[in-house]
Amino acid sequence: MGRILFIGIDYYDYTKEIIVNMERQGYDVTYYPLRLMSTSDRILHTAVPRIFQKKQDRYHLGLFDKERHNHYDIILFIQVHDMSVANLVRLKEMHPESRFILYNWDSIATHDYRPYIPYFDKVMTFDYQDAADYKLGYLPLFGIDKYIRSHCEDNNRIVYFVGNVCHSNRFKTLMAFIKYCKKNNVEFRHHIRCSPIVICKLLCSGIFPRHFSFHKASEAKMRYLLEASTVFDCRNHEQNGYTMRIIENICSGRKVITDNVHLAQEPFYSPEHIWIYEGHDFNGVDRFVNTSSCHTTDYTDLHVTSFVKKLLS
């Protein structure tokens, strides 16, 4: 079908799954991480962002030179704000034969990518408000096989959370939910990951961090967490799009506790399967968790295979 140069965020198993599904659909894929992510680079990014960006600019120019003489039918970006506009323009000039596609799984409020939009032939976002406001394509995130399975016969009244904390609001919400669960005898299994930089920020803001890890969850712990029949979701950033956590767990048949009020507008919403809270008001969550339910809707359209087809079409 053609060749794809894929430059994007290396995010857990999701980037690999996108690549695998592009290859299954007949594409020859060359992938490069968009962002420098070593520990020293992250420290440099926080401590001296100007020097970090110069280093990252050189990295991007280096990969451009490496691919200068290769033909690509599609040049795909998942996120683009870590590349300078000048470098993006240079890449476009080097590959006039290529169709440039951009997908964003952050909102414009989180990372403003509007200056980049004119240089792409197709731009899609997971944030439906951004799509409406800026006339972009709307494409929700996706689920992958690793986390999608039926839980209809295993309603065990356990809630789980696994994810990163990037700012104090999410940390405060998680701490408040842990407190609520202890008070109301709800079993809450969690793996809260914080970077050393985030821990420093929390301490500086007067928050003493607890219940966190510097490392991602092990396979054994993930199996333990995923025994739960309900997932707890709280947004890391101000956005309207649905996280992978929501989509994967809805597809699996798990119930969802979330602060994303927009889910109430979806055709698959039902109060038996999705509980929407505001702020730190979790009143009623204990009854929701202890009520049996079985979700049998077909969510094939939210699988990564469908996502890739829509993105590249």
Side-chain angles (χ1 to χ4, degrees):
M1 293 181 70
R3 300 186 69 198
I4 295 176
L5 175 61
F6 175 20
I7 302 172
I9 302 299
D10 190 4
Y11 190 69
Y12 294 100
D13 296 318
Y14 300 108
T15 305
K16 294 176 185 176
E17 286 290 328
I18 292 171
I19 294 169
V20 166
N21 274 270
M22 288 193 292
E23 290 173 342
R24 284 176 182 167
Q25 294 178 33
Y27 291 98
D28 179 13
V29 182
T30 300
Y31 170 72
Y32 292 98
L34 172 66
R35 184 185 297 167
L36 296 173
M37 289 294 289
S38 70
T39 301
S40 60
D41 285 325
R42 288 189 225 184
I43 293 171
L44 184 63
H45 177 251
T46 302
V48 196
R50 276 182 157 185
I51 294 177
F52 170 81
Q53 191 56 53
K54 287 181 180 179
K55 181 179 179 181
Q56 190 152 259
D57 288 344
R58 291 194 299 270
Y59 161 69
H60 291 148
L61 291 173
L63 71 88
F64 294 174
D65 279 341
K66 188 175 180 179
E67 299 298 334
R68 177 185 297 274
H69 300 296
N70 291 327
H71 168 89
Y72 289 102
D73 299 278
I74 295 173
I75 295 182
L76 170 66
F77 279 79
I78 292 188
Q79 309 292 80
V80 71
H81 59 273
D82 285 290
M83 181 176 289
S84 70
V85 173
N87 276 354
L88 176 63
V89 172
R90 182 173 300 192
L91 179 63
K92 195 167 177 68
E93 290 172 347
M94 292 168 68
H95 294 274
E97 80 286 357
S98 302
R99 182 178 178 223
F100 277 65
I101 298 175
L102 170 63
Y103 182 75
N104 296 276
W105 57 34
D106 277 323
S107 66
I108 285 175
T110 302
H111 296 296
D112 189 353
Y113 55 86
R114 286 176 295 177
Y116 300 85
I117 291 175
Y119 302 103
F120 285 90
D121 302 293
K122 181 178 183 179
V123 180
M124 304 196 81
T125 175
F126 89 132
D127 191 299
Y128 53 79
Q129 193 60 54
D130 283 351
D133 291 345
Y134 301 102
K135 297 181 173 57
L136 309 175
Y138 172 61
L139 180 61
L141 285 169
F142 52 86
I144 61 177
D145 290 334
K146 181 175 179 179
Y147 302 117
I148 294 179
R149 61 187 179 91
S150 175
H151 283 258
C152 290
E153 298 177 359
D154 187 25
N155 201 295
N156 52 24
R157 282 68 167 178
I158 301 170
V159 184
Y160 90 99
F161 170 90
V162 57
N164 295 325
V165 167
C166 295
H167 62 69
S168 60
N169 288 342
R170 178 181 249 192
F171 193 85
K172 289 177 181 177
T173 301
L174 286 163
M175 295 304 105
F177 190 66
I178 289 172
K179 183 178 180 180
Y180 171 87
C181 289
K182 287 180 178 178
K183 182 178 179 181
N184 292 276
N185 297 314
V186 174
E187 183 176 351
F188 182 38
R189 301 177 180 179
H190 50 80
H191 186 86
I192 303 167
R193 187 181 181 187
C194 295
S195 70
I197 292 169
V198 169
I199 293 300
C200 289
K201 289 180 179 179
L202 291 173
L203 289 169
C204 289
S205 64
I207 299 171
F208 183 75
R210 296 168 294 148
H211 308 293
F212 72 90
S213 172
F214 287 128
H215 308 288
K216 68 179 183 179
S218 66
E219 288 189 12
K221 186 167 186 181
M222 281 302 302
R223 288 194 296 271
Y224 170 75
L225 294 170
L226 292 172
E227 290 174 358
S229 294
T230 304
V231 65
F232 180 75
D233 175 70
C234 56
R235 288 174 290 176
N236 224 354
H237 305 284
E238 283 302 315
Q239 61 194 26
N240 296 300
Y242 308 133
T243 62
M244 288 164 177
R245 178 183 299 105
I246 286 180
I247 291 176
E248 286 171 346
N249 284 281
I250 286 176
C251 292
S252 75
R254 290 186 182 93
K255 294 188 289 187
V256 175
I257 302 166
T258 181
D259 58 349
N260 195 321
V261 298
H262 303 283
L263 274 168
Q265 303 167 17
E266 294 291 348
F268 55 77
Y269 169 79
S270 73
E272 292 81 18
H273 301 113
I274 299 173
W275 182 275
I276 298 173
Y277 65 90
E278 294 187 27
H280 295 165
D281 182 6
F282 306 115
N283 185 40
V285 164
D286 55 336
R287 295 189 297 275
F288 173 74
V289 171
N290 286 304
T291 302
S292 296
S293 67
C294 180
H295 214 5
T296 58
T297 306
D298 180 10
Y299 292 111
T300 305
D301 199 46
L302 291 176
H303 191 271
V304 63
T305 301
S306 177
F307 170 89
V308 168
K309 286 180 180 177
K310 292 174 183 177
L311 181 59
L312 301 181
S313 65

mmCIF file of all heavy atoms in Angstrom, residues 156-159 176-189 257 282 284-291:
data_model
loop_
_atom_site.group_PDB
_atom_site.id
_atom_site.type_symbol
_atom_site.label_atom_id
_atom_site.label_comp_id
_atom_site.label_asym_id
_atom_site.label_seq_id
_atom_site.Cartn_x
_atom_site.Cartn_y
_atom_site.Cartn_z
ATOM 1 N N ASN A 156 -16.661 -8.088 40.509
ATOM 2 C CA ASN A 156 -16.086 -8.352 41.829
ATOM 3 C C ASN A 156 -16.066 -7.150 42.760
ATOM 4 O O ASN A 156 -15.468 -7.207 43.821
ATOM 5 C CB ASN A 156 -14.669 -8.899 41.671
ATOM 6 C CG ASN A 156 -13.806 -8.014 40.779
ATOM 7 O OD1 ASN A 156 -14.064 -6.819 40.629
ATOM 8 N ND2 ASN A 156 -12.789 -8.599 40.166
ATOM 9 N N ARG A 157 -16.674 -6.030 42.349
ATOM 10 C CA ARG A 157 -16.789 -4.844 43.225
ATOM 11 C C ARG A 157 -15.424 -4.257 43.590
ATOM 12 O O ARG A 157 -15.258 -3.659 44.652
ATOM 13 C CB ARG A 157 -17.544 -5.172 44.505
ATOM 14 C CG ARG A 157 -19.058 -5.254 44.397
ATOM 15 C CD ARG A 157 -19.539 -6.403 43.591
ATOM 16 N NE ARG A 157 -20.976 -6.603 43.785
ATOM 17 C CZ ARG A 157 -21.678 -7.524 43.167
ATOM 18 N NH1 ARG A 157 -21.092 -8.359 42.318
ATOM 19 N NH2 ARG A 157 -22.968 -7.647 43.384
ATOM 20 N N ILE A 158 -14.431 -4.428 42.709
ATOM 21 C CA ILE A 158 -13.107 -3.836 42.915
ATOM 22 C C ILE A 158 -12.916 -2.707 41.916
ATOM 23 O O ILE A 158 -13.291 -2.831 40.745
ATOM 24 C CB ILE A 158 -11.992 -4.882 42.727
ATOM 25 C CG1 ILE A 158 -12.169 -6.042 43.710
ATOM 26 C CG2 ILE A 158 -10.611 -4.242 42.893
ATOM 27 C CD1 ILE A 158 -11.265 -7.228 43.426
ATOM 28 N N VAL A 159 -12.321 -1.595 42.359
ATOM 29 C CA VAL A 159 -12.029 -0.442 41.503
ATOM 30 C C VAL A 159 -10.513 -0.357 41.336
ATOM 31 O O VAL A 159 -9.764 -0.638 42.277
ATOM 32 C CB VAL A 159 -12.549 0.868 42.131
ATOM 33 C CG1 VAL A 159 -12.326 2.045 41.181
ATOM 34 C CG2 VAL A 159 -14.029 0.743 42.474
ATOM 35 N N ALA A 176 -8.079 12.027 47.442
ATOM 36 C CA ALA A 176 -9.442 12.156 47.959
ATOM 37 C C ALA A 176 -10.241 10.878 47.713
ATOM 38 O O ALA A 176 -11.038 10.450 48.559
ATOM 39 C CB ALA A 176 -10.140 13.348 47.303
ATOM 40 N N PHE A 177 -10.010 10.236 46.560
ATOM 41 C CA PHE A 177 -10.743 9.003 46.263
ATOM 42 C C PHE A 177 -10.242 7.853 47.137
ATOM 43 O O PHE A 177 -11.040 7.029 47.597
ATOM 44 C CB PHE A 177 -10.611 8.648 44.787
ATOM 45 C CG PHE A 177 -11.532 7.531 44.371
ATOM 46 C CD1 PHE A 177 -12.908 7.701 44.381
ATOM 47 C CD2 PHE A 177 -11.015 6.301 43.992
ATOM 48 C CE1 PHE A 177 -13.761 6.664 44.011
ATOM 49 C CE2 PHE A 177 -11.859 5.260 43.626
ATOM 50 C CZ PHE A 177 -13.237 5.442 43.625
ATOM 51 N N ILE A 178 -8.942 7.797 47.385
ATOM 52 C CA ILE A 178 -8.406 6.777 48.291
ATOM 53 C C ILE A 178 -9.052 6.928 49.674
ATOM 54 O O ILE A 178 -9.469 5.936 50.294
ATOM 55 C CB ILE A 178 -6.868 6.887 48.387
ATOM 56 C CG1 ILE A 178 -6.213 6.423 47.080
ATOM 57 C CG2 ILE A 178 -6.332 6.071 49.570
ATOM 58 C CD1 ILE A 178 -4.721 6.680 47.008
ATOM 59 N N LYS A 179 -9.160 8.150 50.145
ATOM 60 C CA LYS A 179 -9.774 8.420 51.443
ATOM 61 C C LYS A 179 -11.242 7.999 51.443
ATOM 62 O O LYS A 179 -11.729 7.376 52.398
ATOM 63 C CB LYS A 179 -9.642 9.911 51.771
ATOM 64 C CG LYS A 179 -10.174 10.303 53.137
ATOM 65 C CD LYS A 179 -9.946 11.792 53.393
ATOM 66 C CE LYS A 179 -10.478 12.203 54.759
ATOM 67 N NZ LYS A 179 -10.261 13.664 55.002
ATOM 68 N N TYR A 180 -11.964 8.319 50.366
ATOM 69 C CA TYR A 180 -13.377 7.953 50.260
ATOM 70 C C TYR A 180 -13.537 6.433 50.303
ATOM 71 O O TYR A 180 -14.420 5.907 50.998
ATOM 72 C CB TYR A 180 -13.965 8.505 48.956
ATOM 73 C CG TYR A 180 -15.356 7.991 48.670
ATOM 74 C CD1 TYR A 180 -16.482 8.639 49.180
ATOM 75 C CD2 TYR A 180 -15.557 6.834 47.905
ATOM 76 C CE1 TYR A 180 -17.756 8.147 48.946
ATOM 77 C CE2 TYR A 180 -16.822 6.338 47.662
ATOM 78 C CZ TYR A 180 -17.920 6.998 48.185
ATOM 79 O OH TYR A 180 -19.192 6.508 47.951
ATOM 80 N N CYS A 181 -12.687 5.723 49.554
ATOM 81 C CA CYS A 181 -12.798 4.268 49.475
ATOM 82 C C CYS A 181 -12.543 3.616 50.829
ATOM 83 O O CYS A 181 -13.241 2.669 51.219
ATOM 84 C CB CYS A 181 -11.835 3.720 48.420
ATOM 85 S SG CYS A 181 -12.331 4.113 46.720
ATOM 86 N N LYS A 182 -11.560 4.113 51.563
ATOM 87 C CA LYS A 182 -11.281 3.562 52.892
ATOM 88 C C LYS A 182 -12.472 3.776 53.830
ATOM 89 O O LYS A 182 -12.842 2.884 54.593
ATOM 90 C CB LYS A 182 -10.027 4.219 53.475
ATOM 91 C CG LYS A 182 -8.732 3.761 52.808
ATOM 92 C CD LYS A 182 -7.517 4.439 53.426
ATOM 93 C CE LYS A 182 -6.226 3.927 52.782
ATOM 94 N NZ LYS A 182 -5.028 4.608 53.330
ATOM 95 N N LYS A 183 -13.077 4.945 53.727
ATOM 96 C CA LYS A 183 -14.205 5.279 54.600
ATOM 97 C C LYS A 183 -15.442 4.454 54.268
ATOM 98 O O LYS A 183 -16.237 4.108 55.157
ATOM 99 C CB LYS A 183 -14.520 6.770 54.489
ATOM 100 C CG LYS A 183 -15.644 7.240 55.398
ATOM 101 C CD LYS A 183 -15.862 8.737 55.266
ATOM 102 C CE LYS A 183 -16.999 9.211 56.163
ATOM 103 N NZ LYS A 183 -17.223 10.687 56.024
ATOM 104 N N ASN A 184 -15.614 4.098 52.993
ATOM 105 C CA ASN A 184 -16.840 3.435 52.545
ATOM 106 C C ASN A 184 -16.634 1.969 52.169
ATOM 107 O O ASN A 184 -17.488 1.372 51.491
ATOM 108 C CB ASN A 184 -17.426 4.203 51.358
ATOM 109 C CG ASN A 184 -17.949 5.572 51.748
ATOM 110 O OD1 ASN A 184 -19.084 5.709 52.208
ATOM 111 N ND2 ASN A 184 -17.114 6.591 51.570
ATOM 112 N N ASN A 185 -15.499 1.405 52.592
ATOM 113 C CA ASN A 185 -15.218 -0.020 52.386
ATOM 114 C C ASN A 185 -15.263 -0.430 50.914
ATOM 115 O O ASN A 185 -15.815 -1.476 50.551
ATOM 116 C CB ASN A 185 -16.206 -0.876 53.195
ATOM 117 C CG ASN A 185 -16.077 -0.654 54.692
ATOM 118 O OD1 ASN A 185 -14.963 -0.640 55.223
ATOM 119 N ND2 ASN A 185 -17.203 -0.459 55.361
ATOM 120 N N VAL A 186 -14.698 0.410 50.057
ATOM 121 C CA VAL A 186 -14.569 0.096 48.634
ATOM 122 C C VAL A 186 -13.115 -0.317 48.392
ATOM 123 O O VAL A 186 -12.187 0.409 48.762
ATOM 124 C CB VAL A 186 -14.921 1.314 47.757
ATOM 125 C CG1 VAL A 186 -14.641 1.011 46.285
ATOM 126 C CG2 VAL A 186 -16.376 1.709 47.951
ATOM 127 N N GLU A 187 -12.892 -1.472 47.777
ATOM 128 C CA GLU A 187 -11.529 -1.917 47.498
ATOM 129 C C GLU A 187 -10.999 -1.164 46.275
ATOM 130 O O GLU A 187 -11.536 -1.301 45.178
ATOM 131 C CB GLU A 187 -11.466 -3.419 47.229
ATOM 132 C CG GLU A 187 -10.037 -3.905 47.006
ATOM 133 C CD GLU A 187 -9.908 -5.403 46.821
ATOM 134 O OE1 GLU A 187 -10.917 -6.121 47.037
ATOM 135 O OE2 GLU A 187 -8.799 -5.857 46.452
ATOM 136 N N PHE A 188 -9.964 -0.375 46.486
ATOM 137 C CA PHE A 188 -9.381 0.437 45.410
ATOM 138 C C PHE A 188 -7.927 0.029 45.216
ATOM 139 O O PHE A 188 -7.080 0.254 46.078
ATOM 140 C CB PHE A 188 -9.471 1.924 45.759
ATOM 141 C CG PHE A 188 -8.939 2.842 44.694
ATOM 142 C CD1 PHE A 188 -9.127 2.585 43.344
ATOM 143 C CD2 PHE A 188 -8.236 3.992 45.047
ATOM 144 C CE1 PHE A 188 -8.645 3.435 42.364
ATOM 145 C CE2 PHE A 188 -7.747 4.862 44.068
ATOM 146 C CZ PHE A 188 -7.952 4.572 42.729
ATOM 147 N N ARG A 189 -7.634 -0.586 44.078
ATOM 148 C CA ARG A 189 -6.276 -0.971 43.727
ATOM 149 C C ARG A 189 -5.714 0.081 42.772
ATOM 150 O O ARG A 189 -6.399 0.461 41.814
ATOM 151 C CB ARG A 189 -6.271 -2.346 43.045
ATOM 152 C CG ARG A 189 -6.858 -3.456 43.899
ATOM 153 C CD ARG A 189 -6.882 -4.782 43.149
ATOM 154 N NE ARG A 189 -7.435 -5.849 43.964
ATOM 155 C CZ ARG A 189 -7.580 -7.111 43.539
ATOM 156 N NH1 ARG A 189 -7.195 -7.445 42.300
ATOM 157 N NH2 ARG A 189 -8.091 -8.030 44.342
ATOM 158 N N ILE A 257 -15.881 5.085 36.489
ATOM 159 C CA ILE A 257 -16.104 6.246 37.353
ATOM 160 C C ILE A 257 -15.215 7.354 36.797
ATOM 161 O O ILE A 257 -13.990 7.210 36.746
ATOM 162 C CB ILE A 257 -15.707 5.938 38.810
ATOM 163 C CG1 ILE A 257 -16.488 4.737 39.347
ATOM 164 C CG2 ILE A 257 -15.915 7.156 39.707
ATOM 165 C CD1 ILE A 257 -15.909 4.166 40.642
ATOM 166 N N PHE A 282 -17.740 12.150 45.681
ATOM 167 C CA PHE A 282 -17.898 10.768 45.242
ATOM 168 C C PHE A 282 -19.133 10.109 45.853
ATOM 169 O O PHE A 282 -19.268 8.881 45.818
ATOM 170 C CB PHE A 282 -16.648 9.962 45.626
ATOM 171 C CG PHE A 282 -15.370 10.568 45.122
ATOM 172 C CD1 PHE A 282 -14.405 11.047 46.003
ATOM 173 C CD2 PHE A 282 -15.128 10.701 43.761
ATOM 174 C CE1 PHE A 282 -13.229 11.607 45.548
ATOM 175 C CE2 PHE A 282 -13.953 11.263 43.289
ATOM 176 C CZ PHE A 282 -13.001 11.716 44.186
ATOM 177 N N GLY A 284 -22.254 8.234 46.481
ATOM 178 C CA GLY A 284 -22.990 7.281 45.666
ATOM 179 C C GLY A 284 -22.119 6.293 44.932
ATOM 180 O O GLY A 284 -22.624 5.298 44.394
ATOM 181 N N VAL A 285 -20.813 6.539 44.895
ATOM 182 C CA VAL A 285 -19.902 5.637 44.187
ATOM 183 C C VAL A 285 -19.929 4.243 44.816
ATOM 184 O O VAL A 285 -19.861 3.228 44.096
ATOM 185 C CB VAL A 285 -18.469 6.203 44.174
ATOM 186 C CG1 VAL A 285 -17.456 5.122 43.812
ATOM 187 C CG2 VAL A 285 -18.368 7.355 43.185
ATOM 188 N N ASP A 286 -20.030 4.147 46.135
ATOM 189 C CA ASP A 286 -20.047 2.838 46.790
ATOM 190 C C ASP A 286 -21.228 2.001 46.317
ATOM 191 O O ASP A 286 -21.091 0.799 46.042
ATOM 192 C CB ASP A 286 -20.051 2.994 48.314
ATOM 193 C CG ASP A 286 -21.192 3.866 48.828
ATOM 194 O OD1 ASP A 286 -21.709 4.705 48.047
ATOM 195 O OD2 ASP A 286 -21.564 3.705 50.005
ATOM 196 N N ARG A 287 -22.403 2.610 46.168
ATOM 197 C CA ARG A 287 -23.578 1.879 45.682
ATOM 198 C C ARG A 287 -23.391 1.487 44.218
ATOM 199 O O ARG A 287 -23.767 0.392 43.804
ATOM 200 C CB ARG A 287 -24.835 2.731 45.842
ATOM 201 C CG ARG A 287 -25.190 3.015 47.303
ATOM 202 C CD ARG A 287 -26.544 3.668 47.436
ATOM 203 N NE ARG A 287 -26.593 4.982 46.788
ATOM 204 C CZ ARG A 287 -26.202 6.112 47.368
ATOM 205 N NH1 ARG A 287 -25.703 6.083 48.611
ATOM 206 N NH2 ARG A 287 -26.283 7.263 46.732
ATOM 207 N N PHE A 288 -22.804 2.396 43.428
ATOM 208 C CA PHE A 288 -22.551 2.118 42.013
ATOM 209 C C PHE A 288 -21.627 0.910 41.856
ATOM 210 O O PHE A 288 -21.886 0.008 41.045
ATOM 211 C CB PHE A 288 -21.923 3.359 41.371
ATOM 212 C CG PHE A 288 -21.445 3.161 39.954
ATOM 213 C CD1 PHE A 288 -22.340 3.072 38.905
ATOM 214 C CD2 PHE A 288 -20.084 3.082 39.684
ATOM 215 C CE1 PHE A 288 -21.892 2.902 37.592
ATOM 216 C CE2 PHE A 288 -19.625 2.914 38.376
ATOM 217 C CZ PHE A 288 -20.537 2.828 37.328
ATOM 218 N N VAL A 289 -20.560 0.867 42.643
ATOM 219 C CA VAL A 289 -19.600 -0.227 42.550
ATOM 220 C C VAL A 289 -20.236 -1.549 42.949
ATOM 221 O O VAL A 289 -19.945 -2.603 42.363
ATOM 222 C CB VAL A 289 -18.370 0.066 43.442
ATOM 223 C CG1 VAL A 289 -17.461 -1.147 43.544
ATOM 224 C CG2 VAL A 289 -17.603 1.269 42.895
ATOM 225 N N ASN A 290 -21.124 -1.526 43.914
ATOM 226 C CA ASN A 290 -21.704 -2.755 44.452
ATOM 227 C C ASN A 290 -22.935 -3.238 43.699
ATOM 228 O O ASN A 290 -23.569 -4.212 44.105
ATOM 229 C CB ASN A 290 -22.055 -2.568 45.927
ATOM 230 C CG ASN A 290 -20.815 -2.569 46.805
ATOM 231 O OD1 ASN A 290 -20.030 -3.504 46.783
ATOM 232 N ND2 ASN A 290 -20.622 -1.497 47.556
ATOM 233 N N THR A 291 -23.252 -2.596 42.586
ATOM 234 C CA THR A 291 -24.385 -3.016 41.759
ATOM 235 C C THR A 291 -23.879 -3.822 40.577
ATOM 236 O O THR A 291 -23.015 -3.362 39.828
ATOM 237 C CB THR A 291 -25.166 -1.786 41.245
ATOM 238 O OG1 THR A 291 -25.615 -1.022 42.372
ATOM 239 C CG2 THR A 291 -26.363 -2.222 40.414
#
